[in-house]
Amino acid sequence: MRDASDSTQGTSSRSGPGFNRRDFLKGSGAAVAASAVATAVEETVAQDKDKLPANVVPAKPVPVKLEINGKAHTVTVEPRVTLLDVLRNDLNLTGAKDVCTTTNCGACTVIIDGKPVLACARMAVECQGKKITTVEGLGDGKDVDDVVKCFVKHDATQCGYCTPGFVVATRAFLNSKPNATLEEIRKGLGGNLCRCGTYDGVAHAALECASKKGGK
Amino acid sequence: MAERKFSWPARSEATLIGKDIQRIDGVAKASGQAKYTADINTEGTLFARLLTSPHAAAKIKSIDVEQAKKMPGVRAIHLFKNEGDEIRWEGELLVAIAADRVELADDALKVVKVEYEELPFYVNEADIVRAAHADRTKGLGKNEKGDVDAALKTAAVVHRGYYGVSTISHMCLEPHGSHCQWDGDDLDVHLSTQNVSGTPGQFAEPLEIDASNVTVTSDYEGGGFGSKFAADEWGIACAKLSREAGKPVRLMLDRAAELKIAGTRPSGYADVTIAADSEGKIVAWDSVHWGTAGFGGGGVDVNQLPYPFDFENRRAAQIGISCNTGPNRAWRAPPHPQLCALTQTAMDDLAAKMKMGSYEFFEKNLAFALQDKGPVYAEQMKIAAKAIDWKAKWHPHGQGGKGPVKRGLGLALHRWGGGAGPCTCTVKVHQDGSVETFLGSQDIGTGTRTIIAITLAETFGLPLTGVKVNLGSSKYPQSGASGGSITVGGVSGANRRAAQTALWEIFDKVAEKYKLESADGLVAKGGDILKGKEKICTWKQACSLLGPMGLETKGESSQKTKDGLTSDQVGGVQMVDLSVDTETGLVRIHKFVCVQDCGLILDELTARSQVLGALIMGIAYSLS
């Protein structure tokens, strides 16, 4: 139940425009890039004209090279663009879902260099040189990942919108903890949300995979 | 020839129905291959972003998008509001901008200039006194039976309490939205909807085109829960942006807008007086309840309280509160969750006041259950009590432990209409034995595709892979909106009827071809046509008799179809054993039991998921 408080009546606004994590991330990305450009200008005067330091990029669309699911992709995007937007809107890899964009729900989970990462909280430009695996890249190319099979077997999906995020999070978790217990699984997958309420299926799917030493 | 009647196979004979059947679209969903509306990226797709009101109440003094039009990548701008228009709740849509990229649309929104004249707002849904002072209340009627005042005077025990549940948002993980693409006057809409058959007209009228020009598609839908039946103003805006830009546009609500404007379950608060005789039989119910369904007021239907009981003396009055908040939408069994919480928490407190156990108190009052469901509830309560070990674990309220962590049991009863929703389908049996069905229904997560495949495969004696289910398009035969409780009944009934009709025709051809006395006793099983245990021919041989056109049959369902394939009016009991840390508020559920009257279960695996999902949503509701 909500508390009755004075903030529920009056004439003041309770939220300001543009104050959210997405803007903050993008804004800070742009700020870093902008200051980087200023630094770069000085450096280019002093050093080689054609060479920017590797971690410096201008705040305009730049080619970004990404290794996703073993394939090289190049997209031209501004440094403030998230990995999630690049995956979904530029590369049509829509398995990672755009649900909260504020790192609350886990629906955009991908694996970067072996670790589960929320793609809404990473700029694409900072993922260069890393190995990115999305849900589309799971499995061995011939057959789907055991995690997917176990999800289907235990009906760990209803509407299915959160499911790929759960699958990737489960795969990453089991890679690091192949013999996980049910309790460990519940904690380990605690960063993903489902509105339909498929948690029991998810936990049992992961547990079955764990019984096969994480599956493959 | 024996009379042919639509019916389900006996449970003992069924090979698929009632078993644990995995979803036929499970791999597509789990592997990320399933394409939802938010995933549609046809070539050249623009991305629309929204400017929403930061004020709960305001008048727009001016709105200026001139600078936004000049921003890089901007292709089209739509104004939802103009100068002089009023804002009635925070999050109301003001401007949509379609641009080449998401971030460019965001940049353009930042230079839109809006001047507001802020107006007083009211958003407190729980405080009826304050709402009355703010002139936001409206009487919404009374519902009365017997003589409540007299009953209260002679009652052995009277309890008065205040109860309530707040407004909650649907929070669909795939937000509301669409992807629109024009080809001349034809409009293709991918819509995140529970209603593909019902939405083309909603697009056509404001766009001034014929409904026949509109195709609505929803192959997969990322949660609706009752909130996705309409094209919505943002859907129309998406189509207009696309028309203006000459390019496809995807417009999904952002998460904040989804929360504020795309649907809520109305709140319900009640001042309840409830009384019983010395035996624990409820003799009077007297309540005034209020809440909000958003700016329009409204709330929990007064005619359904108390729930699911009809006491001999009862009086309920409803007051609606107009809040400057987004409007309500249907939300899984509206408004039964609120009715249940308001009625049964008060009953529980009355039982405690009488020093009676909750179980015994509820049991004693089952005679008042609506639709004479008392005996059903009584059986369900017995099953649930055994599962949760009620007798051993029960203790009176207030005796749940000496420390800060208190443990206790609770129970509640519910009912729901359900039944078969409207559905028409076309089943095609091809000459090569392949089978498919077409219907303008959709899968909202309840496993609609799988249920239909089970129905057809069972009927024709084929494996699940032997049938193809085509749904999710408004160009298919009309099917009702998917309120989850009526879809399975609707689509399974219609497909069973169409399939049995086809099968009888095939049996007649088999009887003629193989010179059988009659088609009586023929069954389709395991890919063969059998008479008793004798194989007459294979399914494929039978279908080859259909000729090059194959066979096409129609099936229908509606609430009025009473041939015994589907039923309605279900009830259930839930019991929970939980602990609350009264210092930190942490709630730990030890066991949650649901005994549910389901009717015929087509897929036990997905039926179980529905029950689990409902329980989990109930937990979320009770904690909000």
Side-chain angles (χ1 to χ4, degrees):
Chain A
M1 227 178 273
R2 277 186 205 171
D3 291 328
S5 73
D6 287 331
S7 67
T8 58
Q9 192 177 0
T11 55
S12 65
S13 162
R14 55 191 172 102
S15 67
F19 189 76
N20 62 44
R21 190 182 173 88
R22 189 187 183 90
D23 280 351
F24 174 77
L25 276 168
K26 288 183 172 174
S28 62
V32 167
S35 63
V37 171
T39 313
V41 170
E42 283 178 27
E43 286 183 3
T44 49
V45 172
Q47 300 173 12
D48 188 337
K49 269 188 183 177
D50 302 323
K51 275 193 181 172
L52 293 180
N55 61 344
V56 173
V57 290
K60 62 179 186 183
V62 291
V64 174
K65 289 181 183 171
L66 298 170
E67 188 193 324
I68 305 167
N69 303 331
K71 280 186 193 166
H73 296 269
T74 302
V75 293
T76 303
V77 295
E78 291 181 52
R80 61 175 166 159
V81 175
T82 62
L83 175 63
L84 180 62
D85 278 352
V86 166
L87 290 174
R88 291 180 53 78
N89 300 339
D90 292 277
L91 301 175
N92 204 25
L93 290 165
T94 56
K97 302 301 184 197
D98 185 355
V99 172
C100 74
T101 65
T102 50
T103 69
N104 281 307
C105 74
C108 64
T109 306
V110 297
I111 298 171
I112 299 182
D113 288 345
K115 289 183 180 168
V117 167
L118 301 173
C120 74
R122 284 293 164 95
M123 299 306 151
V125 70
E126 61 178 330
C127 299
Q128 296 185 103
K130 298 178 192 300
K131 284 187 165 45
I132 303 163
T133 305
T134 69
V135 70
E136 290 90 346
L138 297 183
D140 59 10
K142 290 178 192 159
D143 202 2
V144 296
D145 193 294
D146 281 346
V147 172
V148 170
K149 288 181 193 164
C150 289
F151 265 59
V152 178
K153 182 178 171 189
H154 292 275
D155 207 35
T157 183
Q158 283 194 33
C159 85
Y161 207 67
C162 72
T163 312
F166 261 113
V167 165
V168 177
T170 305
R171 169 42 64 216
F173 176 70
L174 291 175
N175 284 351
S176 67
K177 219 172 178 55
N179 301 309
T181 64
L182 190 58
E183 198 52 35
E184 287 169 336
I185 286 164
R186 285 187 172 138
K187 282 185 184 162
L189 299 179
N192 289 61
L193 296 178
C194 168
R195 188 52 160 157
C196 300
T198 58
Y199 299 108
D200 191 66
V202 169
H204 285 94
L207 190 63
E208 181 169 336
C209 274
S211 75
K212 299 174 187 169
K213 295 184 177 156
K216 63 182 173 88
Chain B
M1 192 175 71
E3 191 188 356
R4 285 169 165 173
K5 277 186 179 174
F6 296 126
S7 63
W8 294 107
R11 190 172 279 203
S12 57
E13 288 170 20
T15 56
L16 296 166
I17 288 174
K19 308 282 193 280
D20 271 9
I21 306 294
Q22 296 177 13
R23 282 170 203 259
I24 61 173
D25 48 7
V27 170
K29 286 181 176 182
S31 65
Q33 300 304 317
K35 290 286 181 185
Y36 296 74
T37 296
D39 301 332
I40 304 299
N41 281 323
T42 55
E43 198 180 344
T45 292
L46 305 176
F47 302 91
R49 302 279 291 170
L50 298 160
L51 183 68
T52 64
S53 171
H55 303 293
K59 193 168 185 179
I60 294 177
K61 287 160 75 177
S62 69
I63 188 160
D64 178 1
V65 295
E66 285 312 307
Q67 201 184 333
K69 280 182 186 170
K70 295 172 194 151
M71 293 291 282
V74 171
R75 303 288 183 137
I77 295 182
H78 175 81
L79 289 176
F80 294 94
K81 299 277 182 193
N82 288 293
E83 193 181 315
D85 286 347
E86 274 203 22
I87 303 292
R88 298 154 299 171
W89 53 83
E90 185 186 344
E92 267 208 88
L93 300 179
L94 304 175
V95 180
I97 295 182
D100 292 341
R101 300 194 59 87
V102 174
E103 61 275 12
L104 297 179
D106 281 335
D107 288 347
L109 287 174
K110 283 175 188 156
V111 300
V112 173
K113 295 188 193 93
V114 187
E115 283 185 296
Y116 304 92
E117 178 194 341
E118 291 182 44
L119 300 172
F121 67 85
Y122 183 83
V123 294
N124 189 323
E125 59 186 344
D127 190 334
I128 188 68
V129 176
R130 195 186 285 188
H133 280 307
D135 197 20
R136 290 302 188 100
T137 56
K138 186 181 174 187
L140 293 175
K142 273 187 185 177
N143 183 21
E144 193 165 2
K145 189 178 101 175
D147 189 339
V148 173
D149 295 322
L152 283 173
K153 272 181 199 156
T154 56
V157 188
V158 178
H159 164 73
R160 185 176 174 189
Y162 164 75
Y163 303 92
V165 278
S166 62
T167 297
I168 57 164
S169 166
H170 293 66
M171 188 59 107
C172 310
L173 289 202
E174 181 189 33
H176 288 63
S178 62
H179 177 281
C180 291
Q181 184 156 8
W182 292 84
D183 180 6
D185 281 341
D186 288 336
L187 174 65
D188 267 335
V189 185
H190 278 84
L191 184 65
S192 184
T193 186
Q194 303 173 242
N195 190 13
V196 290
S197 286
T199 37
Q202 298 179 33
F203 279 93
E205 198 185 337
L207 296 168
E208 296 178 336
I209 55 173
D210 291 341
S212 58
N213 289 118
V214 182
T215 304
V216 173
T217 304
S218 183
D219 291 326
Y220 295 92
E221 186 249 8
F225 315 113
S227 69
K228 287 181 177 169
F229 293 128
D232 285 315
E233 58 174 339
W234 51 83
I236 308 302
C238 183
K240 286 183 175 174
L241 288 167
S242 175
R243 185 154 63 182
E244 185 184 331
K247 285 182 162 229
V249 173
R250 185 191 332 139
L251 188 164
M252 308 302 293
L253 296 187
D254 56 64
R255 184 53 45 187
E258 175 72 18
L259 269 165
K260 291 172 189 172
I261 67 172
T264 61
R265 173 186 285 162
S267 52
Y269 302 91
D271 179 346
V272 178
T273 302
I274 182 170
D277 66 15
S278 58
E279 300 291 307
K281 194 179 104 180
I282 294 171
V283 293
W285 169 277
D286 191 9
S287 66
V288 177
H289 74 274
W290 59 92
T292 191
F295 190 70
V300 178
D301 180 12
V302 70
N303 294 312
Q304 298 186 61
L305 202 68
Y307 168 97
F309 300 99
D310 188 11
F311 306 123
E312 283 166 12
N313 305 293
R314 58 169 167 78
R315 179 166 56 208
Q318 183 187 0
I319 299 167
I321 299 177
S322 167
C323 283
N324 291 95
T325 52
N328 74 302
R329 294 188 174 201
W331 216 112
R332 275 187 128 161
H336 290 220
Q338 299 100 309
L339 294 164
C340 180
L342 296 180
T343 307
Q344 296 174 34
T345 44
M347 283 174 63
D348 211 46
D349 282 351
L350 177 58
K353 193 168 182 177
M354 298 187 75
K355 300 194 177 354
M356 276 183 79
S358 299
Y359 187 97
E360 291 71 26
F361 185 77
F362 271 68
E363 195 177 38
K364 198 164 276 279
N365 286 289
L366 288 180
F368 300 116
L370 286 168
Q371 298 171 316
D372 300 323
K373 273 209 175 288
V376 176
Y377 289 134
E379 283 305 307
Q380 291 177 328
M381 283 174 64
K382 275 184 207 161
I383 298 166
K386 195 177 169 194
I388 207 159
D389 200 11
W390 183 283
K391 266 187 190 162
K393 288 183 179 154
W394 169 259
H395 57 74
H397 291 346
Q399 295 176 26
K402 286 177 184 165
V405 178
K406 311 290 184 190
R407 185 164 177 170
L409 293 174
L411 77 92
L413 315 179
H414 74 88
R415 57 169 286 268
W416 182 248
C423 176
T424 50
C425 66
T426 298
V427 168
K428 286 187 182 178
V429 181
H430 296 281
Q431 191 184 16
D432 63 359
S434 61
V435 173
E436 57 184 331
T437 182
F438 298 84
L439 63 165
S441 185
Q442 49 276 309
D443 178 27
I444 61 170
T446 48
T448 309
R449 275 188 186 85
T450 310
I451 291 299
I452 296 168
I454 289 170
T455 302
L456 294 178
E458 182 80 55
T459 308
F460 294 124
L462 298 172
L464 281 174
T465 49
V467 299
K468 189 177 174 192
V469 180
N470 303 287
L471 50 70
S473 169
S474 62
K475 293 301 183 196
Y476 295 152
Q478 193 182 86
S479 194
S482 284
S485 64
I486 56 171
T487 304
V488 168
V491 301
S492 62
N495 276 281
R496 176 72 177 175
R497 292 181 190 100
Q500 280 197 290
T501 304
L503 191 60
W504 293 331
E505 202 169 324
I506 292 166
F507 283 165
D508 288 342
K509 289 187 188 294
V510 168
E512 191 187 340
K513 166 81 177 172
Y514 294 93
K515 300 191 170 35
L516 305 176
E517 220 164 84
S518 80
D520 287 355
L522 287 177
V523 292
K525 204 159 196 171
D528 292 323
I529 307 294
L530 310 173
K531 187 153 197 166
K533 286 186 176 171
E534 182 195 353
K535 177 177 164 182
I536 306 298
C537 63
T538 66
W539 168 254
K540 287 201 169 194
Q541 285 167 333
C543 293
S544 71
L545 306 174
L546 295 172
M549 298 291 277
L551 176 62
E552 196 171 296
T553 55
K554 309 265 182 225
E556 285 188 4
S557 268
S558 79
Q559 295 279 10
K560 289 177 191 160
T561 319
K562 299 284 179 198
D563 57 10
L565 283 195
T566 51
S567 56
D568 54 13
Q569 303 302 336
V570 297
V573 171
Q574 295 180 11
M575 293 185 183
V576 69
D577 170 15
L578 61 75
S579 295
V580 180
D581 185 328
T582 54
E583 288 177 350
T584 64
L586 184 74
V587 177
R588 184 169 288 276
I589 293 174
H590 307 290
K591 192 160 188 176
F592 199 166
V593 172
C594 168
V595 179
Q596 179 64 41
D597 167 16
C598 299
L600 174 71
I601 289 177
L602 291 168
D603 183 347
E604 193 165 315
L605 183 65
T606 53
R608 205 183 300 124
S609 292
Q610 283 301 303
V611 172
L612 285 168
L615 296 183
I616 288 166
M617 229 171 217
I619 295 168
Y621 189 32
S622 64
L623 293 178
S624 66

